[in-house]
Amino acid sequence: MSLIIKNIDCLVTCKGSHLKKGKEMQNAGIIENGYIVIKDDTIFEVGNGDGYKKYVDDNIEVIDGKGKTVTPGLIDCHTHVVYGGSREKELSMKLKNVSYIDILNNGGGILSTVRETRKASFESLVSSAKNRLDIMLEHGTTTVESKSGYGLNIETELKMLKVNKYLNKIHKIDIVSTFLGAHAIPEEYKNDRKKYIDTIINEMIPAVKDENLAEFIDCFCEEGVYSVDEAKKILVAGNKMGLDIKIHADEVESIKGAELAGEINAVSAEHLVAASDEGIKALADNNVVAVLLPSTSFYLMLNNFARARKMIDEGVGIALATDCNPGTSPTESLQTVMTFACFGMKMFPEEIINAMTINAACAIKRENVIGSIEAGKKADICVFDSKNLDYLIYHFGINAIRYVIKNGNVVVNKEN
Ligand code: NIG
Ligand code: FE
């Protein structure tokens, strides 16, 4: 054995390697006075009381969990963490009530980040994204999904995905890659969107597959961006070439993006602030993970959040993520997202932790390896300075991490 965490006041296991849907999200598998025994990079045994004692010897590191809440390593299953530049100039436009889609259609928003990302070297994209990943790890995130989508040409889309691949190799955080060539229509194709869509299907997706640079394909399906028909064409083409489907759906307007997600068997549908009742039913019926991004809702200043309570009542499985990006959610912290999930969407602490661990693992098809604390799973674990789970959500605006354990190693240690 290599590491033991003992006497844990609140051990939140999130046990079970499947999508927790509806009411099942309320069970986070909490053990009082729990312990975890780790062997190399894997969880060996989980229990409560003194059961860990038989494994203690001089060579084992022991962490005391008294006064702590311990959870699976947090999984950020929707990010745009690789990008050039920043967009603080849009803040004053937003304060003057210029809408997000209007900023985009006037060459700002995503398109301004596209200009910066095209200009940026591979090295500078690595360096800025690495800084963001460092902050994520400090806040308890141990696995991250990362999308392309600020290239919108083959050269820069591949550059972004290669940055993901490189970061996955050098950074402690594991990175799962998503191809999002359909994030906006690039300015040079403004008057011929069909041609750009053909380029995505006939050139970009084959190149991504050729070099094995992504597992998922995504599309920003939204009024004024990609229509439902266009999204379907792109996503189905990607799926035929071996990429699993994700979709940015019904973020601002209800255009039946959630319904499409059900129809084409998407692994996940994301945002869903404006998803219709039928759309919510389609997600539940087809086991599509609803990835909700409440820090984006907050940041867009639209005064409305996705209908998490309705989704839970209808039996949907919800995951939560930061959406870390330079326009609508410039944050690396899933702890910040906990605050908005609770105070904006009225999600309960148990639901929130399931949504950032096992259900987030389902959104990136890693539920058999990570997302819960049980024997056989990877030892990715957060130790929070928090006497119980409610306290973790109640005390907001701080970083409550005491230790982060990744692959069985203590990689963040705030003990002084
Ligand atoms: O998930 N909605 C589309 N894409 C991102 C925002 C990207 C940006 O504004 O740069 C999102 O919110
Ligand atoms: Fe996004």
Side-chain angles (χ1 to χ4, degrees), residues 78 80 248 271 323:
H78 176 143
H80 309 251
H248 281 65
H271 288 287
D323 197 14

Side-chain angles (χ1 to χ4, degrees), residues 29-50:
I30 294 178
I31 298 176
E32 281 173 26
N33 190 26
Y35 68 81
I36 307 169
V37 180
I38 295 164
K39 187 178 182 202
D40 305 323
D41 64 352
T42 305
I43 296 169
F44 182 79
E45 189 176 304
V46 178
N48 75 332
D50 288 345

Side-chain angles (χ1 to χ4, degrees), residues 78-80 147 180 183 218 248 251 271 293 323 325 328:
H78 176 143
T79 85
H80 309 251
K147 301 174 195 295
L180 177 57
H183 197 191
D218 196 344
H248 281 65
E251 176 177 356
H271 288 287
L293 309 161
D323 197 14
N325 76 68
T328 63

Side-chain angles (χ1 to χ4, degrees), residues 159-196:
K159 177 171 74 177
M160 291 184 73
L161 294 172
K162 285 177 187 166
V163 169
N164 281 348
K165 192 170 188 169
Y166 180 72
L167 286 168
N168 185 44
K169 224 183 288 162
I170 63 150
H171 204 277
K172 286 167 186 142
I173 289 183
D174 288 318
I175 294 167
V176 174
S177 227
T178 297
F179 168 60
L180 177 57
H183 197 191
I185 299 285
E187 277 169 313
E188 59 275 24
Y189 285 95
K190 208 155 95 190
N191 300 317
D192 197 353
R193 46 194 299 130
K194 187 175 172 303
K195 194 156 174 215
Y196 181 62

